[in-house]
Amino acid sequence: MRRIVAHRGQRATFPENTLEGIRAAIRCGARAVEFDVQMSADHVPVVSHDANLLRTAGIDMDITQHSYEELKQICVGEPSRFAQQYTSVRLPTLEAMVEELLTMTEVLTFVELKDESIDAFGLDTFLYPVIEQLRRLQQQCIVMAENLEVLLQLQKRMATPIGWILHRLDEADFALAKQHTVDYLVINQKYCPAHYDFPTGKWKWIVYETRNPDKAVRLFEQGVSFVETNDVCQLLKRLPGYK
């Protein structure tokens, strides 16, 4: 299976990590999407890459220090990119995102658990409400994180494939991935040499992110199974065979 993945939704033309952006990606034909999870002060999992809302809302506000009742009032329409185009867009809960995707069983879902919230609340406090929601989606869900121990603890509580996010291409990490039966290895394309042959194992490779169709095809030819992009609508127009 080789697919193009909507990285944080259709990020090129919609605010990232929003219901609106995910819906737009799926309307364009995406059959794989990715989003990130942080947690509010009252332990509500929310969909956001950053712990701070400065970039997406223009407000210097730490998600981990405010209740969801406070957070849900804030527009996350990325005014620095889109001005006033998306003033009705709000920070979605993980529950709302799961509800959305449960109606789209053909859409593979990659969910990244963010370190800032895990560090703020501790692994147990963070994982319990996240698992409660993701368990409903586990037939179409892969959970990713930078910390391998987080993924191993998750697997003890929930039967789901895991993806380990790497920051290097290193034999020691590949050995750990093999030892712990990691299902996916995830890496930024900036760490990947142009003619690198991705090591094979029981895992599949995910590389993020590119809007360049030639680069996407080259990555597939190098052994990558999933290529993430910020503009899935345009990339699928150029590469319709990778839905």
Side-chain angles (χ1 to χ4, degrees):
M1 179 190 299
R2 293 177 178 177
R3 284 188 184 177
I4 294 168
V5 182
H7 181 240
R8 308 183 203 169
Q10 171 53 15
R11 191 178 176 215
T13 53
F14 283 81
E16 66 173 58
N17 277 319
T18 60
L19 293 170
E20 292 81 357
I22 294 291
R23 289 168 185 157
I26 293 169
R27 283 198 303 271
C28 286
R31 291 299 173 263
V33 299
E34 182 268 349
F35 60 83
D36 308 285
V37 176
Q38 299 277 4
M39 181 176 281
S40 68
D42 51 343
H43 304 164
V44 177
V46 296
V47 179
S48 178
H49 179 274
D50 301 356
N52 193 291
L53 292 176
L54 186 60
R55 186 173 59 84
T56 56
I59 300 171
D60 187 4
M61 189 173 185
D62 191 324
I63 289 171
T64 67
Q65 296 178 17
H66 295 269
S67 71
Y68 185 67
E69 282 300 309
E70 297 173 273
L71 295 169
K72 73 179 185 180
Q73 309 299 326
I74 296 169
C75 169
V76 289
E78 295 191 63
S80 62
R81 287 207 296 147
F82 298 114
Q84 301 304 304
Q85 186 176 354
Y86 294 111
T87 54
S88 65
V89 173
R90 297 292 182 266
L91 184 72
T93 61
L94 177 59
E95 180 179 12
M97 188 66 78
V98 167
E99 290 289 343
E100 185 81 17
L101 291 165
L102 280 173
T103 66
M104 305 170 186
T105 55
E106 76 284 3
V107 177
L108 195 60
T109 305
F110 296 92
V111 181
E112 182 176 343
L113 309 183
K114 302 303 292 183
D115 282 346
E116 298 96 332
S117 290
I118 296 169
D119 293 343
F121 299 107
L123 185 57
D124 289 340
T125 300
F126 178 82
L127 280 183
Y128 180 79
V130 169
I131 289 173
E132 185 178 15
Q133 296 303 325
L134 291 184
R135 202 183 299 279
R136 300 186 297 147
L137 197 65
Q138 68 183 44
Q139 297 304 314
Q140 63 195 87
C141 175
I142 295 94
V143 181
M144 309 187 299
E146 295 184 0
N147 188 318
L148 181 57
E149 183 58 31
V150 169
L151 295 170
L152 298 178
Q153 289 299 318
L154 175 96
Q155 274 200 321
K156 291 179 180 179
R157 310 170 199 204
M158 176 182 171
T160 186
I162 56 172
W164 185 19
I165 301 169
L166 305 176
H167 295 282
R168 59 181 184 173
L169 293 164
D170 184 86
E171 290 295 333
D173 288 341
F174 303 151
L176 274 175
K178 183 178 180 180
Q179 176 186 341
H180 294 292
T181 319
V182 171
D183 302 288
Y184 296 83
L185 292 178
V186 189
I187 196 162
N188 192 314
Q189 56 90 16
K190 70 182 181 181
Y191 300 126
C192 305
H195 302 291
Y196 183 75
D197 290 326
F198 286 83
T200 57
K202 292 185 177 180
W203 57 75
K204 296 177 181 178
W205 281 97
I206 305 169
V207 173
Y208 64 97
E209 70 79 30
T210 183
R211 304 185 191 192
N212 185 314
D214 294 332
K215 181 175 284 189
V217 170
R218 184 169 68 246
L219 287 166
F220 288 130
E221 291 173 346
Q222 290 172 246
V224 173
S225 295
F226 297 91
V227 173
E228 295 189 24
T229 180
N230 286 338
D231 196 351
V232 72
C233 294
Q234 288 301 313
L235 204 54
L236 283 177
K237 282 183 181 178
R238 300 286 299 276
L239 303 173
Y242 292 101
K243 287 185 180 180

